[in-house]
Amino acid sequence: MTDVKTPVPEATDAPAAKPERPIAWPLGIAGVVLLVVGSFLSWSYDGQILNDLSINFYPGGLQILTLIGAVLSLVLLLAEKGPMTRLGAWLDATLGIRTLGAGLSLYMVLILVAIGTESDGLINVNPGGYISLVGALLIAVSGWLLPLRQLRDMSEARLPGGIEILTIAVLMAAVLFAAAYALGLQDAWSFILCLVFIAVIATALFRTGTMTFVSHVGQRHKKVLTLAAFVVAFLFPFTQNGSDANMSIANQVLIFGATAMGLNIVVGLAGLLDLGYIAFLGAGSYTAAVLSNSAFATVGWKPPFLVVMLVGAAVSATLGLIIGTPTLRVSGDYLAIVTLGFGEIFRFSMGNLDGNNGPNLTNGPNGIPGIPDLQIGGFNFGDEHSLAGIELGRFSNYYFLLLILIGFVILVFARLNNSRIGRGWVAIREDEKAAEAMGVNVFGLKILAFAVGAFLAGLAGTIKAHQDAAVSPDQYQFIESAFLLAAIVLGGMGTIAGVLLGATILKLLPEKLRFFSEYRLLMFGLLLVLMMRFRPEGLVASRRRQLEFHEEDEELAVEVEEQRLAVGEAQ
């Protein structure tokens, strides 16, 4: 890596915050060796537990993950003191070793607990499990004994263009592997342990500064990163071996993500709190249902699906205008209450349009079942198709269609965000009175935000109706609007990657953690509380949001850095 500005002294020349203990580095190497040796030995006496970890010299899935953690720990140790010290001048290897050591120790403890819980106790844990645990603990101790060092600014790190593009490709391949492996796990404990491991690795990469470098690489190669992300998404169905269950979850994630992107315009850009947004998704779904060939459809007009999509989106946008025009004169809590009421009015209205309490349009509480699969030209989305010798079922067909939809939604959001309209929305969100004083058409832009957001949700709803093969009022309850809003807050308001990540987490985890059916909402609430405490700007936040939430932290970091430099000069 080379510098583009004034060279900064090497990390090894910077004064250490505390004296280096000679035993720290060998202790870490010993931990890595024990972790590798233990992973090749049997962990469990019972082969039916955790997808069989009972065979010596034949690592199972969770043991392979441990080996990955060991390799990453070794790389950081060699960057701290060894042949890779040039890399250690940029990466915070010490923090990474500490994180990996603590995280892998927790991971191993949970594995031993899982083996003991699923069998007759810890007596069924074989020596390999304990050896790996000791190895993880030694890595953690080594990390705490190693000193912190002065590092270079990762924003100045550069690699040849081809290697940077290769870095993006490797990262996207790792994401595809992790998603395919995690979704393929049917055992509850195995899935939880896989999530813990992914969280440990991700945290370590962030703390070393690796993800900062990747972020700058992504900024320099935006088109390559976008293309790589869509290639990974396109290849995902080919990793599922025709699993309809996993593809159904993936489709729900895409629908949820596309809808959340529409709400992101209203909440993330314009700063308008909408608690009834699920109604716009429902309007698109009901429009597609009544215009379908279902035996329960009540409208005789059966246009092509592309027309149905436009009609459904237009109906949703119209509802956005209807609800927005009288209610956007209020703000804050009052706007939230009004939009919440609109969502409930929509749900009850769909239940009352049954021919008794109103016109027979939606078949009342029974909804409209029997919606046939889409057929565009000669392609029927309900049939299985083969591509490159791999069978793609019904849900895979809808997945590709939803992938096109979410690409369009992202394009619309990005263009609006970078336009004059987007800057006007941000100005309204920051200070409505100041924006109005500067000549921004506050009311018009608010109405536009509601209409565009509703339009995008309506598009997603038209596809959802055919994929689910039925619509009913109970699909569009308030809790769904709350989850959409939570996805934006969790991922990062006003961002694209953050909202998609938040939508994935909030849609994937409840599906895979059904054995926690009684505690899922409790876990969800705890997750939000922890997010608000430790990262209120979201998982993937814009620089503006980070400065808003952590201005005091930034000032404190500067003061601490100045104190460290002063202490170093004194020494």
Side-chain angles (χ1 to χ4, degrees):
M1 297 184 182
T2 58
D3 297 326
V4 296
K5 296 183 180 180
T6 304
V8 181
E10 292 289 338
T12 53
D13 298 335
K18 62 180 181 180
E20 182 174 355
R21 293 174 173 83
I23 196 176
W25 193 81
L27 203 62
I29 296 296
V32 170
V33 172
L34 289 178
L35 199 59
V36 171
V37 171
S39 298
F40 277 97
L41 298 177
S42 170
W43 285 1
S44 171
Y45 179 79
D46 188 349
Q48 302 299 319
I49 297 175
L50 301 179
N51 295 323
D52 195 0
L53 304 177
S54 62
I55 305 176
N56 287 317
F57 309 111
Y58 189 79
L62 297 178
Q63 292 168 315
I64 292 175
L65 294 182
T66 309
L67 290 172
I68 294 173
V71 170
L72 185 55
S73 300
L74 179 62
V75 170
L76 293 178
L77 285 165
L78 295 179
E80 177 68 25
K81 185 179 179 181
M84 303 175 67
T85 51
R86 188 179 179 187
L87 178 63
W90 296 91
L91 297 181
D92 197 334
T94 300
L95 281 180
I97 294 169
R98 291 179 182 180
T99 304
L100 280 174
L104 290 174
S105 299
L106 173 63
Y107 174 73
M108 288 305 308
V109 168
L110 290 177
I111 287 179
L112 300 187
V113 170
I115 294 174
T117 302
E118 294 294 310
S119 61
D120 295 327
L122 293 178
I123 193 173
N124 289 295
V125 178
N126 282 346
Y130 293 111
I131 293 174
S132 296
L133 174 60
V134 172
L137 290 173
L138 289 180
I139 294 173
V141 173
S142 171
W144 285 104
L145 293 178
L146 288 170
L148 295 173
R149 301 183 184 277
Q150 177 91 23
L151 302 174
R152 296 179 176 181
D153 186 359
M154 288 299 294
S155 64
E156 298 179 356
R158 294 291 189 277
L159 288 173
I163 297 180
E164 289 189 343
I165 292 175
L166 180 62
T167 301
I168 294 175
V170 170
L171 179 63
M172 291 294 103
V175 170
L176 177 61
F177 166 79
Y181 178 75
L183 278 176
L185 294 173
Q186 301 300 322
D187 178 68
W189 270 108
S190 296
F191 180 74
I192 292 176
L193 290 167
C194 180
L195 291 184
V196 170
F197 178 81
I198 292 173
V200 169
I201 297 299
T203 304
L205 292 178
F206 273 104
R207 299 199 72 186
T208 58
T210 303
M211 297 310 296
T212 302
F213 171 68
V214 171
S215 174
H216 288 291
V217 170
Q219 290 294 323
R220 291 194 289 271
H221 304 280
K222 284 185 177 180
K223 293 182 179 179
V224 175
L225 180 61
T226 303
L227 178 62
F230 273 96
V231 168
V232 166
F234 176 81
L235 292 176
F236 176 75
F238 298 94
T239 67
Q240 296 305 302
N241 298 320
S243 171
D244 282 341
N246 289 341
M247 291 311 303
S248 175
I249 295 174
N251 288 355
Q252 295 298 330
V253 168
L254 289 181
I255 292 172
F256 193 73
T259 310
M261 287 299 298
L263 181 59
N264 197 23
I265 293 176
V266 180
V267 177
L269 296 184
L272 305 172
L273 186 56
D274 188 348
L275 296 181
Y277 190 78
I278 195 66
F280 302 128
L281 179 70
S285 296
Y286 265 99
T287 301
V290 299
L291 296 180
S292 71
N293 289 315
S294 169
F296 298 91
T298 55
V299 176
W301 184 40
K302 311 297 178 186
F305 180 67
L306 292 179
V307 176
V308 172
M309 289 186 70
L310 293 176
V311 172
V315 170
S316 295
T318 302
L319 287 178
L321 292 175
I322 292 174
I323 185 61
T325 301
T327 60
L328 288 182
R329 301 186 186 278
V330 298
S331 60
D333 298 339
Y334 299 100
L335 177 61
I337 293 172
V338 171
T339 53
L340 188 155
F342 167 71
E344 292 300 292
I345 289 172
F346 172 81
R347 182 166 64 90
F348 284 113
S349 297
M350 295 302 100
N352 288 332
L353 298 178
D354 57 356
N356 295 321
N357 301 304
N360 185 16
L361 186 62
T362 65
N363 203 27
N366 295 323
I368 301 177
I371 301 174
D373 285 305
L374 286 175
Q375 183 161 347
I376 300 178
F379 187 89
N380 191 307
F381 283 76
D383 297 337
E384 289 189 357
H385 299 84
S386 178
L387 184 61
I390 299 177
E391 293 294 328
L392 300 175
R394 175 180 182 272
F395 289 103
S396 296
N397 298 330
Y398 281 103
Y399 175 88
F400 291 121
L401 179 60
L402 288 167
L403 202 58
I404 296 173
L405 171 67
I406 204 164
F408 171 75
V409 171
I410 291 174
L411 178 64
V412 170
F413 180 88
R415 292 293 185 181
L416 287 174
N417 188 24
N418 297 324
S419 68
R420 183 177 179 180
I421 293 174
R423 291 192 293 273
W425 282 332
V426 172
I428 293 171
R429 184 192 71 196
E430 297 296 327
D431 193 324
E432 183 176 330
K433 296 298 182 183
E436 189 172 12
M438 295 300 294
V440 175
N441 184 358
V442 172
F443 185 75
L445 287 180
K446 284 183 176 181
I447 289 292
L448 182 62
F450 256 80
V452 173
F455 183 89
L456 297 179
L459 288 177
T462 57
I463 300 178
K464 175 179 170 60
H466 285 274
Q467 184 207 252
D468 295 346
V471 294
S472 59
D474 58 0
Q475 292 177 316
Y476 307 102
Q477 299 182 23
F478 163 71
I479 189 65
E480 297 297 329
S481 294
F483 268 84
L484 286 169
L485 184 61
I488 297 173
V489 174
L490 178 65
M493 289 191 293
T495 65
I496 295 175
V499 171
L500 294 179
L501 177 61
T504 301
I505 292 174
L506 292 185
K507 206 64 180 179
L508 174 63
L509 292 186
E511 292 293 334
K512 297 295 289 186
L513 299 179
R514 287 189 175 274
F515 56 93
F516 282 143
S517 58
E518 297 181 0
Y519 303 102
R520 282 187 296 171
L521 287 180
L522 175 62
M523 296 172 61
F524 167 68
L526 289 175
L527 176 64
L528 287 183
V529 170
L530 292 174
M531 281 296 303
M532 292 301 99
R533 171 59 183 88
F534 296 104
R535 196 172 176 84
E537 71 274 20
L539 294 174
V540 183
S542 63
R543 181 63 178 167
R544 177 192 295 271
R545 306 294 286 184
Q546 286 178 321
L547 291 176
E548 287 176 2
F549 284 104
H550 294 284
E551 184 177 355
E552 295 180 358
D553 295 348
E554 294 286 338
E555 295 175 355
L556 180 61
V558 172
E559 293 178 4
V560 170
E561 186 65 24
E562 291 175 350
Q563 291 175 3
R564 286 182 60 182
L565 293 176
V567 171
E569 292 174 357
Q571 292 178 347

